[in-house]
Amino acid sequence: MFHFQSFEDDCTLEEEGLVEEEDEIDQFNDDTFGAGAIDDDWQEEHARLAELDEQVRDGVHGAGDASSVDLPLAGGNAHSSALPQPSSSSRLYPDTDERGGGDLAESLTRLILGSDPAIAGVGTARSDRSHLPPMLSGQAPQPSALAGQSSLLLSYQQQQQLMRRGPAPLPQINSHSIWENSMGFSPVSSGLVTQKEDKTLMSIIKEVGLPNRPPALSREEGRDLSERVPPPRSSSPVIGSPPVRAVPIGTPPKQPMSQVHNHQNNHPSAIHVRASVPLRYPPPFPERLSPNNLLSIANSPLSHPPFPAGVGPVLSQIQRAQLLNSQIGQFPRGPAPPLLQGGVGGFRPFFGPSGPRMGPHGPPLGHAPIRHNTTHLHPQHRRMLNQRMQNRGLGDHVGGRGVGDRRNRDPYSNLMTQREKEWVARIQMMQLQSTDPYLDDYYYQNYYEKMEKRQERDRDNRKEHTTKLITPQVAKLEHTYRPVQFAGSLGKLTVSSVNNPRKMIDAVVTTSSNDEEKREKQVWNKRRQILYTVEKMYSLLLEVQDFEKKFLQTPEHQRDALLEQHKTHTLQLYNSLREKEWDDRVSDEQCLMIMSVRKGKRLISRLLPFLPQPQAAAVVMGIARNLPALAKKDKQDQVLCWLVEPVTVVVQSMSSTSLTDLLQELQGSEGQLPLVLQNKFGVTLLYLILSEGERMQSSDPNCQLMDDNRWTELVFSVTRELLKVPSSALSSPLFTPPNLVSLFSRYVDRQRLELLQEKLQITALSR
Amino acid sequence: MLFYSFFKSLVGKDVVVELKNDLSICGTLHSVDQYLNIKMTDISVTDPEKYPHMLSVKNCFIRGSVVRYVQLPADEVDTQLLQDAARKEAMQQKQ
């Protein structure tokens, strides 16, 4: 695809070989294995080019003899020893190589690959490379012919390698990131440069050396290493996602280094520098900003001949950190020791910005037991945590102090500065910004709301106000991705990425038809159908539940519409319980079906409070009617009692006629009542009805309950039944209303009353 | 974000995390993130004899992908609410 005009005919590039034999990739083709391969060893070719490059540079700069001498050697050795770093030796001057030729390739890559964010990652470094800072242009103009030649000869792939491997000498030009620009290390480094007088340091550096230091550095004194940051990303780091609109997460914060340097000036001899700074690969994160590597960087501008690679660091990272720690560690310790010593054993500083949520940071809660955590917690939650910490802190206080001392010499601290830690944490937290915190964080918010309500209830509204959790919300952005298209072209690009996926498999679902299986399926299907219905009702129920919240949030003019919607939902819920649209009665079948599943019972119990009175009453009547069947089905689950609470509410708001009706339903046909009495819920329901009737009678003398004899008759039959039924068949209710005795006293004589009392174990205290 | 939200409500509670390498760590849940990485404080290994190298460790960070189970205190979990949250998430996904 990317044909380069080769000045040398026999230059076998991988790309060329592939291009010629696109149709059938013959793995044993001549070019790779046969005559073509032998003829032109690309390694040799490369080495030759490297020499060419060197000569070019020597001609241009006229300095850096040692480097140029070394490099061809390295290049020469390259092909004999399986090429450790093929591109590094000659690719130390990537800027010159790319400057001249490869424009066609460049523009094409940028055009095609740059527009699809999913695959653009490769191209960006390149495009930024073309805007080189003025410093580099201080070099004499390159002999463009040769440079162009060499670059043209490079295959596309090699150029990619090159891009990745070369140093990144670009300043963070467009970083209006969350951190300030980290340019301008010059004042700092100049301060350190004075250290080069120190013999110890120099000797160590000479010994160990800084291999592969690009000689360009030594020539350009004006350049600071602070600008060696990775080029700003113009595409999202996540493959396949739309381009990052937010600020590019580029450089980390600039490190205020003054305190570090003061200390180092005092003890220069004790500091051993890690010799080899891996600038071959642009560091993903700037280790140089930590105290450790700053030294190495600062010392690198010192002119010294490059040494062969392969020498390990003088000290390990940990040892270095230890040394530095002992000197530097005292500085940021101001706020730290109280943190370490106080409170819970184990809140180390590096736990600090862990798991925070985007938004206002929680206020640092005073002194010792600080939960060094910026999580956006519900105030109730935070209170609980602090309580817990204080309890523990009081206990551990002595132990903590001892441990804290030991921790002051923690070898693993200060590898990252506080700002760096916060920076990393903020990157993580940016991902947690949500457009709808109520939905995204549903569980947490509702859990603590419920807890608040519970506490309020328990403490009888002692609190003046309930604390609320306010989560910041990010506006939702519409990302519409359109795959790149060329105007007037006949075809479409076949680049498939996450944003525009391509159909790969044509999968068709086939169901096997087997008679036996069908029968089995039918059984399962029925159950599945019930569950499906229940789930659908649940989603409606959730909508209804959220209505209040939504109502408060919507503006005035939209409230009517919302209200209408709410009514529709509720109606729909009720309708699903009814079989026929015109029949106001709750369909027994449907109701039974739903209640046969545990989930269904739960659903009904949550549904009842939301239904309007007549409908709720109808539901309760349906339940009463079918109680024996329900009780039978509930034997395994025993969860009918969930219904008690909502049913209580309904019963207490019923009219007298409906109450009578309910009692009648409960009694139903012959033999229903004993069954009812056997079930806990049944008994409870019965008691509820009776007590409600009693309340009505006693409170309102003109109550209609006594208008017809139904109520009286029903109560009579109930009492008869209660007396008849053996004690063993009578299950105890969940609770016994206190006014039952007064109720019974109206209808039965003393003897029977006493019997009843004994049987039902209702005391006469309520009298 | 469902389980991130869920674990956030458990921050500060004592849990036992069983890892895929069969190590069980008991401790207080300090924090959790969107990958369900877990930070715990005051940890103790449930059978310390088998893992003596953990004797001195007080806090740990556990990558979310290596967790097999998290044993929770039952009374700190509201299963109904969790079910509702899952239903809401499913509804959201459908839209």
Side-chain angles (χ1 to χ4, degrees):
Chain A
M1 211 187 282
F2 295 105
H3 260 296
F4 294 121
Q5 264 202 323
S6 53
F7 290 107
E8 328 234 338
D9 299 325
D10 45 332
C11 172
T12 45
L13 304 172
E14 303 157 27
E15 199 56 46
E16 270 193 4
L18 278 172
V19 161
E20 280 164 12
E21 304 179 19
E22 249 171 3
D23 300 321
E24 13 147 346
I25 298 178
D26 183 2
Q27 303 210 344
F28 304 103
N29 58 18
D30 276 352
D31 280 335
T32 317
F33 293 93
I38 295 170
D39 272 347
D40 260 302
D41 185 8
W42 68 274
Q43 294 173 348
E44 259 184 72
E45 193 58 45
H46 166 91
R48 230 180 333 120
L49 288 174
E51 288 183 40
L52 271 174
D53 260 326
E54 279 320 300
Q55 289 166 20
V56 163
R57 282 188 204 285
D58 281 349
V60 169
H61 299 290
D65 330 49
S67 48
S68 47
V69 164
D70 272 351
L71 290 167
L73 269 176
N77 293 332
H79 77 93
S80 55
S81 68
L83 263 184
Q85 300 106 17
S87 55
S88 59
S89 45
S90 73
R91 299 293 167 251
L92 290 169
Y93 310 98
D95 34 283
T96 56
D97 284 336
E98 297 163 30
R99 181 76 61 81
D103 279 334
L104 174 66
E106 208 180 299
S107 58
L108 264 179
T109 53
R110 223 180 308 158
L111 180 66
I112 292 172
L113 300 175
S115 27
D116 184 349
I119 38 180
V122 163
T124 50
R126 235 208 124 142
S127 53
D128 288 322
R129 202 69 48 109
S130 44
H131 321 298
L132 285 172
M135 306 228 201
L136 286 180
S137 59
Q139 298 171 5
Q142 320 301 323
S144 48
L146 260 170
Q149 197 179 48
S150 52
S151 65
L152 282 176
L153 282 171
L154 288 176
S155 75
Y156 172 66
Q157 288 170 347
Q158 285 180 341
Q159 280 189 330
Q160 301 309 315
Q161 272 185 331
L162 187 151
M163 275 183 259
R164 276 188 230 111
R165 287 193 179 190
L170 301 171
Q172 195 73 352
I173 307 167
N174 56 339
S175 90
H176 37 83
S177 60
I178 47 179
W179 301 97
E180 13 167 13
N181 212 331
S182 75
M183 289 178 78
F185 255 63
S186 13
V188 166
S189 52
S190 59
L192 282 174
V193 164
T194 54
Q195 281 191 36
K196 66 170 124 174
E197 316 306 320
D198 186 61
K199 288 275 165 57
T200 335
L201 264 172
M202 280 304 293
S203 57
I204 290 173
I205 290 172
K206 279 203 173 90
E207 216 177 275
V208 179
L210 286 162
N212 296 328
R213 169 72 47 215
L217 268 189
S218 56
R219 283 171 209 137
E220 299 161 307
E221 278 98 49
R223 270 205 21 219
D224 298 324
L225 274 166
S226 66
E227 279 134 38
R228 290 190 165 252
V229 300
R233 292 196 190 223
S234 63
S235 70
S236 162
V238 176
I239 303 293
S241 52
V244 166
R245 315 264 167 125
V247 294
I249 303 166
T251 349
K254 174 178 162 187
Q255 173 76 4
M257 286 312 227
S258 45
Q259 57 203 34
V260 172
H261 304 321
N262 290 340
H263 232 1
Q264 288 163 5
N265 279 328
N266 295 335
H267 312 273
S269 53
I271 299 167
H272 295 253
V273 183
R274 178 185 188 158
S276 59
V277 177
L279 276 184
R280 246 179 276 148
Y281 304 88
F285 291 116
E287 314 109 320
R288 64 186 169 285
L289 289 188
S290 66
N292 312 326
N293 287 330
L294 179 73
L295 287 172
S296 44
I297 289 164
N299 288 315
S300 58
L302 309 169
S303 55
H304 45 260
F307 289 91
V311 184
V314 180
L315 287 181
S316 75
Q317 184 100 357
I318 294 306
Q319 286 170 312
R320 187 171 4 101
Q322 262 174 330
L323 283 167
L324 286 174
N325 221 1
S326 50
Q327 298 142 26
I328 300 158
Q330 309 310 318
F331 274 106
R333 289 296 178 173
L339 283 176
L340 292 176
Q341 291 167 6
V344 193
F347 280 111
R348 297 203 182 180
F350 70 80
F351 262 122
S354 69
R357 201 172 155 114
M358 193 64 173
H361 287 194
L365 297 148
H367 46 87
I370 298 176
R371 182 174 174 86
H372 204 50
N373 190 340
T374 45
T375 309
H376 192 55
L377 294 174
H378 194 277
Q380 179 68 19
H381 196 180
R382 201 176 274 282
R383 246 176 273 142
M384 278 169 49
L385 283 174
N386 288 336
Q387 267 180 6
R388 204 171 298 233
M389 270 182 51
Q390 272 163 14
N391 292 341
R392 285 212 203 141
L394 294 172
D396 288 358
H397 205 65
V398 178
R401 224 178 287 133
V403 176
D405 280 348
R406 230 185 309 136
R407 287 217 195 88
N408 277 336
R409 294 191 301 269
D410 184 4
Y412 292 95
S413 63
N414 281 351
L415 288 175
M416 281 175 88
T417 65
Q418 189 57 31
R419 279 196 82 176
E420 283 177 331
K421 294 175 205 163
E422 283 173 27
W423 173 68
V424 171
R426 271 193 226 188
I427 293 174
Q428 231 187 339
M429 287 314 114
M430 274 166 68
Q431 299 175 34
L432 284 176
Q433 289 172 333
S434 84
T435 53
D436 188 358
Y438 180 66
L439 273 179
D440 284 339
D441 206 19
Y442 185 81
Y443 183 87
Y444 182 76
Q445 300 198 354
N446 283 55
Y447 185 78
Y448 277 97
E449 254 183 58
K450 281 194 184 175
M451 186 177 291
E452 287 262 339
K453 282 192 203 146
R454 234 181 298 149
Q455 287 195 344
E456 214 183 286
R457 226 185 327 142
D458 290 342
R459 297 185 202 170
D460 293 323
N461 293 0
R462 238 191 293 152
K463 277 192 232 193
E464 303 92 49
H465 60 280
T466 47
T467 49
K468 274 189 89 168
L469 174 69
I470 303 168
T471 319
Q473 197 166 341
V474 175
K476 202 181 273 196
L477 296 169
E478 274 302 312
H479 300 293
T480 47
Y481 171 73
R482 277 171 53 251
V484 66
Q485 293 162 355
F486 290 115
S489 66
L490 274 180
K492 282 202 188 145
L493 283 180
T494 52
V495 172
S496 158
S497 67
V498 168
N499 291 331
N500 58 332
R502 214 172 14 178
K503 190 176 183 186
M504 297 295 263
I505 305 175
D506 213 355
V508 176
V509 177
T510 52
T511 51
S512 69
S513 58
N514 195 347
D515 271 351
E516 207 177 271
E517 277 184 32
K518 267 193 179 158
R519 259 179 278 131
E520 268 181 41
K521 250 204 235 174
Q522 271 170 9
V523 169
W524 273 110
N525 272 348
K526 189 131 197 276
R527 194 177 164 81
R528 256 191 244 165
Q529 191 71 27
I530 301 174
L531 288 171
Y532 189 65
T533 320
V534 171
E535 276 301 323
K536 279 222 273 209
M537 286 178 71
Y538 251 117
S539 29
L540 282 174
L541 176 64
L542 285 176
E543 297 264 330
V544 169
Q545 264 184 339
D546 285 342
F547 166 73
E548 228 182 82
K549 268 212 177 74
K550 270 196 251 176
F551 195 76
L552 294 169
Q553 282 176 5
T554 55
E556 278 293 332
H557 52 277
Q558 285 177 359
R559 280 191 178 174
D560 282 338
L562 196 65
L563 202 60
E564 278 305 310
Q565 202 184 33
H566 173 69
K567 285 191 190 148
T568 333
H569 281 314
T570 332
L571 198 61
Q572 262 183 309
L573 269 174
Y574 184 64
N575 284 345
S576 47
L577 282 173
R578 305 194 299 206
E579 205 175 85
K580 304 174 188 62
E581 282 293 316
W582 57 87
D583 190 3
D584 215 17
R585 256 169 48 132
V586 166
S587 150
D588 281 0
E589 222 181 279
Q590 191 78 351
C591 201
L592 252 184
M593 254 183 19
I594 292 176
M595 298 274 278
S596 60
V597 200
R598 202 183 330 159
K599 250 205 274 190
K601 288 181 211 134
R602 236 325 181 224
L603 172 71
I604 300 281
S605 71
R606 289 175 69 171
L607 176 59
L608 273 177
F610 289 103
L611 288 177
Q613 173 54 28
Q615 293 173 345
V619 174
V620 176
M621 289 224 235
I623 297 173
R625 218 177 320 146
N626 301 305
L627 201 52
L630 287 175
K632 200 164 59 157
K633 288 215 171 145
D634 191 44
K635 256 195 214 151
Q636 214 179 18
D637 291 332
Q638 297 294 329
V639 292
L640 260 183
C641 299
W642 285 340
L643 289 166
V644 169
E645 251 188 56
V647 167
T648 318
V649 174
V650 175
V651 164
Q652 279 169 354
S653 54
M654 273 169 120
S655 67
S656 54
T657 34
S658 39
L659 198 67
T660 325
D661 286 334
L662 186 58
L663 190 53
Q664 193 162 26
E665 296 275 15
L666 197 61
Q667 288 194 307
S669 50
E670 279 302 313
Q672 179 158 331
L673 199 53
L675 288 171
V676 167
L677 290 174
Q678 273 178 11
N679 179 265
K680 201 170 195 154
F681 176 68
V683 177
T684 321
L685 184 58
L686 181 66
Y687 284 6
L688 276 172
I689 300 171
L690 290 176
S691 106
E692 180 60 23
E694 176 58 27
R695 195 189 59 81
M696 266 196 233
Q697 269 191 305
S698 48
S699 59
D700 183 12
N702 299 340
C703 141
Q704 293 162 338
L705 208 56
M706 309 300 283
D707 275 356
D708 59 3
N709 279 336
R710 274 201 314 159
W711 176 257
T712 327
E713 275 181 27
L714 287 168
V715 179
F716 272 142
S717 60
V718 166
T719 45
R720 248 179 288 134
E721 199 58 49
L722 279 171
L723 287 167
K724 218 186 344 174
V725 148
S727 292
S728 54
L730 193 64
S731 58
S732 54
L734 277 171
F735 62 88
T736 314
N739 52 3
L740 277 183
V741 182
S742 50
L743 173 82
F744 287 131
S745 64
R746 282 180 209 262
Y747 297 101
V748 294
D749 55 14
R750 196 170 196 86
Q751 193 191 23
R752 290 221 183 108
L753 184 64
E754 277 170 16
L755 274 172
L756 264 177
Q757 271 186 293
E758 205 186 293
K759 201 168 202 181
L760 303 176
Q761 291 159 10
I762 37 180
T763 57
L765 282 176
S766 52
R767 273 222 182 163
Chain B
M1 298 279 276
L2 207 172
F3 282 105
Y4 170 59
S5 176
F6 175 65
F7 277 114
K8 257 207 311 176
S9 79
L10 289 173
V11 163
K13 313 283 194 301
D14 288 327
V15 296
V16 180
V17 179
E18 178 173 327
L19 306 180
K20 288 179 181 167
N21 65 355
D22 293 337
L23 176 60
S24 280
I25 302 176
C26 164
T28 315
L29 184 66
H30 177 276
S31 58
V32 69
D33 67 1
Q34 76 265 35
Y35 305 113
L36 303 187
N37 296 330
I38 292 175
K39 271 191 186 161
M40 288 171 55
T41 58
D42 273 343
I43 58 175
S44 60
V45 181
T46 45
D47 38 336
E49 288 71 41
K50 236 172 96 178
Y51 306 100
H53 62 282
M54 298 284 288
L55 278 173
S56 63
V57 180
K58 287 282 166 276
N59 316 309
C60 70
F61 171 93
I62 302 174
R63 186 182 152 96
S65 64
V66 305
V67 172
R68 183 186 288 147
Y69 299 127
V70 177
Q71 296 167 22
L72 320 160
D75 39 2
E76 302 285 351
V77 173
D78 185 351
T79 46
Q80 271 302 301
L81 193 55
L82 199 54
Q83 285 181 15
D84 284 347
R87 285 184 185 113
K88 276 197 134 31
E89 181 124 342
M91 283 198 307
Q92 215 185 352
Q93 294 281 349
K94 256 189 260 178
Q95 289 164 5

